[in-house]
Amino acid sequence: MHALGNDFSHSLRALWKSPRFTLAVILTLAVGIASNSIIFNVTSAVFVHPLRYPDSSRLVYVSQSYPGFPQGGGQFSYPTYKDMLEGTHSFDSLAAYQEQGPVAITDGGQAVRMSVTYCTPNYFTLLGTGTALGRVFHVSEDRYGSGDAVVVLSFRFWQRQFSGDRQIVGRTIHLNERPFTVIGVTEEDFRDSLYEQEHGEEGNAWIPLGLAFTMTGFSSPTDRGGTTNLWAIGHLKPGVSVSDARAELAAFGKTLEQTHPDTFRGFGLVGRSLTDQLLGEFYSPAWVLAGASAFLLLIGCANVGNLLLARLLSRQRELGVRAALGASPGRLARHLLAENFLLLAFSSILGVAFASKGTSALRNWAALHLPTVVRFEARPGAILAAIGITLITGALFGVAPALVGARVDLREALSQAGRQGQSLSRRKSQKVLVVAEVALALVLLAGSGLLLESFRRLASTNLGFNTHNLLTLRLDLRSARYTEPAARARFAKTVVDTLQTLPGVDSVTLWGPSMLGRATWVFIGYPEGRQPDDASARLMMGRHSVNPGALKNLEIPLIRGREPSWQDTLDSPYVAVISESVAKKLWPGQDPVGKRMIGIRGNTPWITVIGVARDARQAQRFDVNDAAAGIRPLGLGPQYDAYFPYTQRPNQGMTLAIRTSADIAGISKEIRATVLSLDSTLPVYDLELLDQRLEAQVAPLRTMAVISSAYAVLALFLAAFGLFAVLAHDVGQRTQEIGIRMALGARPGSVLALVLREGMLLTVLGLVVGGLGALAASRLMGALLYGVSPMEPIVYVSIAVLLAGVALLACWIPARRAMLLDPLAALRQE
């Protein structure tokens, strides 16, 4: 122990005398510990810690697949849900739910918007929530058409809207002007993550599914095809796996397609682990960040290994003297290992400090930008794991130099040439580490480059219409006064005409159900003269209900035909304007104006094409959740859209897009006041400039690009530093050799070329190895890329040129030093 204490004391003094070396090693390892600690917290939140719901690994999310979208995610009808209850055997409980728009609390003065989920009573049981007050639904309260008008409130909404009034249970409130009795308030910590994921906000209340048709007009108890608005979650029976349930649902979907061809042709049922459904969108980003962090750690440790080798080579005389005075190889090894241990200990302390600050900042960011299903917390286990991995990796890179350095050849170590002879056998190790650093840096830079290029293309995508100065808001016509479609059509015309008269309003566009949002309705149809069972004839289009002049207002060019008019009513033949891609797909080489199409389900009328418009991208361009489910971004490929007159397709949910040059805050107040003057029971919500909405949509990809770029920049710096350190040390070791070359007539330019050639050869080798690794690793990022191939040539060429340029600069400094050597001084150097 006394000898070990002496080793630590001597090592501490030795490190103190080499501050640049000591600081470089400590900072490099500390960055590795901090980055891995932060990423371990992220991956722990995504992969390790289960959902908040009990027995969450046994919960399955059930959805419907669409033609061309076999991954699922679509909604099914209530009769289909009843069929699943009777015809499937994988679940001991299967709950259905619907999220068809908010409702308005119409008591008192101004209406208050309340987000609602319509669900079966076992929904609460499966998600494992009790109540802070009252109770949840009974089965007897969930009867279609005759169910009790009851509602359960969320704890947060109860506190916010009703000031935590404990007498709320039993109180009557009016929702969309209909009386409801509050029967309970959920537990404080319950969050409906399914609603939050779909709508980006917390759920406020739950109503029995049996009342959904009365409240929304959707989820009819008898209509199999026209009202597909349900999802389901099921709890697996003992002994049944998720894959078993998925297979049974797929087979049962085939059965429904055969028994109900008019309404289920081309559709199917898809099962997915609820954990995958809620967290799947984070899998790819978490893996990318974990890989980047691991690569950065390896580059850092390779740098540390190089620094230790360089320090070892410069200490050969010292070690030789100690060996000559009687120090055994074990004694020398123990001394070198003591130095490495001190470096790792100091790095751990600094790394934990960095990790604490970084984790705190990331936790604050996550609270604002990530859904609550991701429980991002500072977990001590993650920090300890990061320290352990970093210490093990760092030790592996440090033990080898220590063991090699303990074997000292006294004659070579103490001779004049010993310094160079010894280095010849060990410079190869340094060069291998440099090649590895360059290769790993290229992988990180390539990944970052792909994300940046993806973000650039996403942000610069031509949407095909003018988004500037376009203020969007949403309304929901779900109260009793708008039950009839004609009533909704009359209100739509009134609100458009009234808003159009406001000062500063250039145009008012009615768009249903949303604009560049997740709420995208579809129309699946086929042209007249083709058969519905012909898969090549069917086409899924985005369905938009618009007012006259909508396309002109948005500056979507009309190629031929006319736009819808107010005279296109429910009593006149159904019409539509189609996008150019639909025309080419359904009627190639023909003029589609005057042609007819019909929905694949039997309850839809024939629709006459009255116009053809240029393609435009109204759907949300990029959604991480869709990408995780394997659904290609809707902004890619042909844009299949159909524009119907709102008077013939009067959706309950509508978006108004108002082109204005007025002050946004002022015009927003006027718009709210105007709508409320027409109907005080209608909350105006989701009021935002369309350009701001677009910015929010690219935020996830921007965040990934920024984080990966930060890792890539660090990797680039570390790789350049490693290359510089090796060449600088090499020049120092070869001083006499270079002096002899110059004394024999070698020109400074040839010396410069000699060093540059050696450095760039290592760089080229690293680029080749790294290029192969980058091609393999980039395939894991496919879900995060928008319009960019994982093998995008321009990205790889640009990154290779950048890395080569930085490497050239790193080589130039020691090469110039070698070129400027004084031959006589070099020959006299001891």
Side-chain angles (χ1 to χ4, degrees):
M1 293 298 296
H2 177 71
L4 188 61
N6 287 336
D7 285 332
F8 278 115
S9 177
H10 186 274
S11 298
L12 190 61
R13 290 194 300 271
L15 294 176
W16 183 261
K17 292 178 180 178
S18 304
R20 286 184 295 180
F21 163 80
T22 303
L23 186 62
V25 172
I26 290 176
L27 284 176
T28 300
L29 290 178
V31 168
I33 290 173
S35 65
N36 277 274
S37 296
I38 295 170
I39 299 307
F40 280 3
N41 274 305
V42 172
T43 54
S44 176
V46 174
F47 296 114
V48 178
H49 291 270
L51 301 176
R52 299 174 187 266
Y53 308 130
D55 205 15
S56 59
S57 63
R58 306 285 295 165
L59 296 178
V60 175
Y61 171 81
V62 182
S63 62
Q64 181 173 271
S65 63
Y66 284 80
F69 289 86
Q71 304 88 349
Q75 296 159 291
F76 46 81
S77 65
Y78 185 79
T80 299
Y81 168 62
K82 298 294 288 186
D83 289 339
M84 281 192 285
L85 287 177
E86 298 172 2
T88 61
H89 309 284
S90 295
F91 308 106
D92 52 30
S93 181
L94 186 67
Y97 70 99
Q98 169 187 322
E99 300 165 350
Q100 196 59 43
V103 299
I105 300 178
T106 51
D107 297 308
Q110 185 172 318
V112 176
R113 175 176 174 268
M114 184 171 77
S115 57
V116 172
T117 295
Y118 301 89
C119 60
T120 55
N122 55 342
Y123 187 80
F124 296 100
T125 305
L126 291 178
L127 297 186
T129 182
T131 54
L133 294 175
R135 60 177 177 83
V136 296
F137 314 141
H138 292 153
V139 174
S140 61
E141 294 168 325
D142 185 32
R143 301 184 307 274
Y144 254 90
S146 59
D148 295 337
V150 295
V151 60
V152 174
L153 304 177
S154 76
F155 188 91
R156 290 173 183 79
F157 186 77
W158 164 62
Q159 288 198 320
R160 184 171 66 249
Q161 181 63 29
F162 299 101
S163 303
D165 181 7
R166 301 191 67 83
Q167 305 302 315
I168 190 68
V169 176
R171 177 173 163 182
T172 298
I173 62 175
H174 287 79
L175 307 180
N176 289 353
E177 301 183 283
R178 295 180 174 94
F180 275 76
T181 301
V182 178
I183 61 171
V185 176
T186 61
E187 294 174 332
E188 181 175 0
D189 60 350
F190 174 67
R191 301 295 288 267
D192 191 340
S193 297
L194 287 163
Y195 188 93
E196 290 184 1
Q197 182 184 65
E198 183 66 23
H199 298 278
E201 61 179 356
E202 66 179 63
N204 299 146
W206 296 264
I207 293 174
L209 183 62
L211 293 173
F213 186 67
T214 302
M215 293 292 290
T216 69
F218 294 100
S219 297
S220 165
T222 58
D223 187 357
R224 285 187 171 274
T227 55
T228 53
N229 293 91
L230 299 182
W231 291 290
I233 51 173
H235 184 271
L236 296 172
K237 290 181 178 178
V240 178
S241 67
V242 174
S243 59
D244 293 336
R246 186 184 299 116
E248 184 187 32
L249 287 168
F252 190 68
K254 295 291 184 183
T255 300
L256 291 178
E257 191 173 12
Q258 294 171 1
T259 55
H260 304 286
D262 290 342
T263 57
F264 216 77
R265 182 185 291 110
F267 295 87
L269 294 173
V270 177
R272 190 184 186 198
S273 161
L274 184 63
T275 301
D276 289 347
Q277 174 63 24
L278 293 177
L279 293 174
E281 62 183 294
F282 303 104
Y283 290 169
S284 290
W287 280 120
V288 169
L289 292 177
S293 183
F295 280 13
L296 188 64
L297 174 62
L298 289 174
I299 294 173
C301 288
N303 246 339
V304 170
N306 260 332
L307 290 171
L308 291 174
L309 278 173
R311 179 171 168 80
L312 175 66
L313 294 175
S314 65
R315 298 173 66 188
Q316 289 301 294
R317 283 183 176 275
E318 172 200 339
L319 296 174
V321 170
R322 297 185 67 182
L325 294 176
S328 66
R331 183 75 177 79
L332 295 177
R334 192 174 66 196
H335 168 67
L336 295 175
L337 289 174
E339 284 191 11
N340 293 347
F341 178 83
L342 288 175
L343 290 170
L344 293 173
F346 293 141
S347 300
S348 299
I349 295 172
L350 187 60
V352 169
F354 287 166
S356 177
K357 293 292 185 182
T359 302
S360 177
L362 194 57
R363 184 173 62 248
N364 293 336
W365 178 89
L368 295 175
H369 297 89
L370 295 183
T372 55
V373 68
V374 182
R375 294 184 288 170
F376 185 81
E377 302 168 0
R379 296 181 171 91
I383 297 179
L384 291 176
I387 292 175
I389 290 178
T390 305
L391 293 183
I392 292 172
T393 310
L396 290 176
F397 279 89
V399 167
L403 296 179
V404 170
R407 297 193 300 270
V408 179
D409 187 313
L410 290 178
R411 187 182 60 177
E412 288 190 1
L414 296 176
S415 68
Q416 173 77 14
R419 180 173 51 187
Q420 297 182 38
Q422 190 79 356
S423 67
L424 289 174
S425 63
R426 296 174 182 173
R427 285 203 306 249
K428 293 181 181 179
S429 300
Q430 291 180 294
K431 293 176 180 178
V432 169
L433 291 175
V434 168
V435 171
E437 287 185 65
V438 173
L440 292 171
L442 179 62
V443 174
L444 272 180
L445 285 165
S448 173
L450 289 171
L451 287 173
L452 286 171
E453 178 64 13
S454 181
F455 172 72
R456 186 191 69 79
R457 295 190 185 185
L458 179 62
S460 62
T461 297
N462 181 13
L463 298 180
F465 67 100
N466 184 3
T467 65
H468 301 309
N469 299 322
L470 206 59
L471 186 65
T472 60
L473 60 95
R474 295 182 66 185
L475 300 173
D476 279 280
L477 308 182
R478 302 181 192 277
S479 62
R481 68 182 67 183
Y482 300 115
T483 300
E484 295 299 321
R488 297 195 292 272
R490 285 193 299 271
F491 177 80
K493 187 175 188 308
T494 300
V495 74
V496 168
D497 291 344
T498 306
L499 291 175
Q500 185 71 63
T501 64
L502 293 179
V505 172
D506 300 325
S507 66
V508 179
T509 303
L510 181 62
W511 207 264
S514 68
M515 180 176 289
L516 292 172
R518 287 185 57 84
T520 302
W521 286 43
V522 297
F523 171 78
I524 306 174
Y526 60 96
E528 189 174 15
R530 303 289 293 273
Q531 296 300 314
D533 56 355
D534 181 0
S536 63
R538 299 194 300 259
L539 183 64
M540 185 167 73
M541 299 161 251
R543 176 166 77 80
H544 313 282
S545 295
V546 302
N547 64 306
L551 298 177
K552 179 181 178 181
N553 293 344
L554 296 181
E555 301 180 17
I556 300 176
L558 192 66
I559 300 174
R560 60 176 65 90
R562 69 172 178 88
E563 285 201 44
S565 72
W566 292 117
Q567 283 68 47
D568 296 315
T569 65
L570 292 167
D571 299 324
S572 60
Y574 276 52
V575 297
V577 175
I578 59 175
S579 66
E580 193 174 14
S581 290
V582 173
K584 292 178 180 178
K585 183 74 173 179
L586 297 184
W587 295 281
Q590 304 177 54
D591 183 356
V593 175
K595 297 288 196 300
R596 297 202 305 172
M597 61 182 179
I598 192 171
I600 64 172
R601 287 172 169 145
N603 59 350
T604 57
W606 284 97
I607 299 160
T608 302
V609 176
I610 60 171
V612 179
R614 292 287 185 194
D615 287 352
R617 307 173 193 273
Q618 296 91 6
Q620 181 166 329
R621 295 172 297 167
F622 179 82
D623 183 80
V624 181
N625 192 49
D626 286 345
I631 300 174
R632 296 176 72 247
L634 296 178
L636 299 177
Q639 301 300 297
Y640 300 122
D641 290 291
Y643 307 97
F644 297 94
Y646 183 83
T647 45
Q648 292 185 340
R649 300 267 182 166
N651 298 325
Q652 292 172 311
M654 66 166 68
T655 294
L656 289 169
I658 300 168
R659 183 91 60 191
T660 177
S661 55
D663 172 68
I664 297 301
I667 196 65
S668 297
K669 291 180 180 179
E670 289 193 49
I671 290 171
R672 287 182 185 274
T674 300
V675 174
L676 290 174
S677 71
L678 298 175
D679 187 346
S680 61
T681 68
L682 285 181
V684 176
Y685 68 100
D686 205 12
L687 194 110
E688 188 177 21
L689 283 170
L690 190 58
D691 283 337
Q692 293 175 342
R693 196 183 306 278
L694 292 171
E695 280 293 313
Q697 287 183 6
V698 301
L701 195 57
R702 182 199 297 115
T703 300
M704 284 297 301
V706 169
I707 294 176
S708 64
S709 297
Y711 277 110
V713 169
L714 279 173
L716 182 63
F717 170 77
L718 289 176
F721 178 74
L723 186 60
F724 164 79
V726 166
L727 290 180
H729 182 264
D730 194 38
V731 168
Q733 292 290 302
R734 299 171 64 184
T735 299
Q736 289 189 336
E737 173 197 336
I738 293 172
I740 293 173
R741 287 175 178 268
M742 298 182 73
L744 294 176
R747 303 178 63 182
S750 64
V751 174
L752 178 70
L754 174 69
V755 180
L756 287 178
R757 184 167 56 249
E758 183 174 349
M760 295 310 296
L761 177 61
L762 297 178
T763 302
V764 170
L765 289 174
L767 291 177
V768 172
V769 176
L772 297 175
L775 289 174
S778 61
R779 297 184 181 277
L780 301 175
M781 300 172 56
L784 298 173
L785 302 181
Y786 176 94
V788 178
S789 166
M791 301 178 66
E792 192 74 26
I794 188 172
V795 172
Y796 287 93
V797 172
S798 300
I799 292 303
V801 170
L802 172 64
L803 188 51
V806 173
L808 181 62
L809 179 62
C811 297
W812 173 264
I813 299 174
R816 178 174 172 77
R817 175 190 169 192
M819 181 182 71
L820 298 177
L821 281 175
D822 182 350
L824 293 179
L827 291 174
R828 287 196 300 267
Q829 185 173 328
E830 290 293 330

